[in-house]
Each structure stands twice: as C-alpha cells, then as structure tokens.
Amino acid sequence: MATNKVLSLLESRKNLTGSAFGIAGLALTFAGLAGTYWPLVVAGLYGAGALIAPPERPPAPDFPDPAEQLGALRGDFATLRAYLTEVELPPAAAGRLTELDAVVEALLEPGWVRDPEHVHVLSRAVRQDIPEAVDSYVRTRWWTRVAPGSQPPERHLERQLTVLYDEVTAIAAALQDEEARRQQTHTHYLEERSGPREP
C-alpha cells in the first residue's frame, strides 16, 4: 500500500514537472548562473514546477457502450418472451402486446439503436414496465375473482401496454426520420459533387 502511494507520487504530474524545473536549476548551477545559493534555486524551481503542473485527473468510468447494453438486453427480451407465453391474457391486451413485441424486436436488431436515451427506454420497457404490467394484471385478476365488483384489471393492462407501445414507436419514428435525413443529405452531396445537370 505504502509502495503504491510512493510510486503514484513519483509518477504524478506535479513531481514530474517539478523535477524538470529542478533539472533546469541544476543546469543553471553548472553554467555558473545560480551562484552559492544554487540549492535554493533548484528547490525553488522544483516548487514552482510542482505548483504550475496541471492537477491529477482520475480516469473516467468505463461504462458499456449502447451496443454492449443492447446485447445483454436481447437476452433479457428472450427471457421476457418465454415468461409471456405462460400468461393468459385477454384478446385486446394480447393483441396490443403482440404489436409492442414486434416493435421492440425490430429495435433490438443490431445496428439500429445507438442513442443512450433510446437504449434506456427499451431497457426499462423490457426489464421493468412490461413484466410489471403483466404481473400486476395477473395478481389483480385473481383478487377480482375473489372480490368482484372492482374495475376490470384488463382495462389497466390495455392502457399500460398502449403507453409502452407509444414510447417504443416514438423511437422507431425518430430512427426513421434520422435515416430519411441521412438519405436526403447523401442525395444532395451526390448532386452537388456531380455538378449541374444538363437541361
């Protein structure tokens, strides 16, 4: 532990810069410019170098990039799908879930989603929102059978799945707009590169 601290101190920017200034002080001494006060000159230049050196900066955390996150998310999506095959849902909710599933599957294909915010929305939908919506429906449905008269749980499930569907289709629409702009930009570039067309 102490050895690591000594090594980090020796390799620090302050020590390296101070040492470079101290060597310059020694050079002045050997050139005869420092006089009898050369130890003070060397020490002073070392201190000045240590003071002006840029501060140490800890390395930034290395988080996985969106592509790596999506790789793990695809596995979780497969797990979610396996869970959903075991749940009996009302027809309307099952239809909405099928639509939602298709959009999420398309977005999780490699090479499409790169925005960290989009990755976050997909991750939240797959790992939290969809399983929570379905599980709360199953639990509430059981209690509704025991104590009828409350609002049907399938209505809440349909509303929740609709909100989630709107969220993921917004991502798909943003990607579509991005690709359309990219295509238009490339068209303009090619037309400008080839020059004006003959009438």
Side-chain angles (χ1 to χ4, degrees):
M1 192 69 165
T3 306
N4 290 340
K5 287 185 177 180
V6 172
L7 286 175
S8 63
L9 177 63
L10 291 175
E11 295 172 352
S12 68
R13 295 180 183 182
K14 290 186 177 297
N15 183 56
L16 294 176
T17 307
S19 297
F21 276 58
I23 291 171
L26 288 174
L28 291 175
T29 300
F30 291 132
L33 299 175
T36 58
Y37 299 104
W38 68 268
L40 294 176
V41 172
V42 173
L45 285 173
Y46 176 88
L51 285 175
I52 67 170
E56 292 295 324
R57 180 177 60 86
D62 185 20
F63 295 120
D65 63 21
E68 293 177 10
Q69 295 179 39
L70 286 176
L73 187 56
R74 288 185 197 101
D76 293 340
F77 183 53
T79 302
L80 174 64
R81 280 177 150 179
Y83 160 71
L84 293 175
T85 59
E86 299 177 7
V87 180
E88 182 182 345
L89 297 177
R96 177 54 78 187
L97 186 61
T98 300
E99 295 171 342
L100 176 59
D101 178 89
V103 178
V104 172
E105 180 183 26
L107 291 172
L108 289 179
E109 286 292 322
W112 290 114
V113 176
R114 293 178 293 273
D115 188 325
E117 182 60 31
H118 292 167
V119 173
H120 173 69
V121 171
L122 288 172
S123 175
R124 186 180 58 197
V126 169
R127 294 175 173 151
Q128 177 182 337
D129 293 335
I130 297 174
E132 175 65 23
V134 173
D135 185 61
S136 63
Y137 161 75
V138 172
R139 291 171 177 268
T140 308
R141 180 183 61 179
W142 185 85
W143 283 109
T144 303
R145 291 174 181 171
V146 175
S150 59
Q151 189 176 16
E154 54 267 21
R155 290 185 186 170
H156 283 288
L157 177 61
E158 291 168 24
R159 288 164 59 187
Q160 292 167 2
L161 294 176
T162 297
V163 171
L164 293 171
Y165 177 78
D166 291 343
E167 283 186 353
V168 298
T169 51
I171 295 175
L175 292 175
Q176 183 180 12
D177 290 343
E178 180 182 332
E179 293 301 324
R181 285 194 302 271
R182 180 176 168 220
Q183 185 183 37
Q184 292 169 2
T185 300
H186 192 58
T187 300
H188 293 319
Y189 162 73
L190 292 175
E191 290 176 347
E192 290 176 1
R193 187 180 71 181
S194 63
R197 293 183 177 180
E198 292 293 332

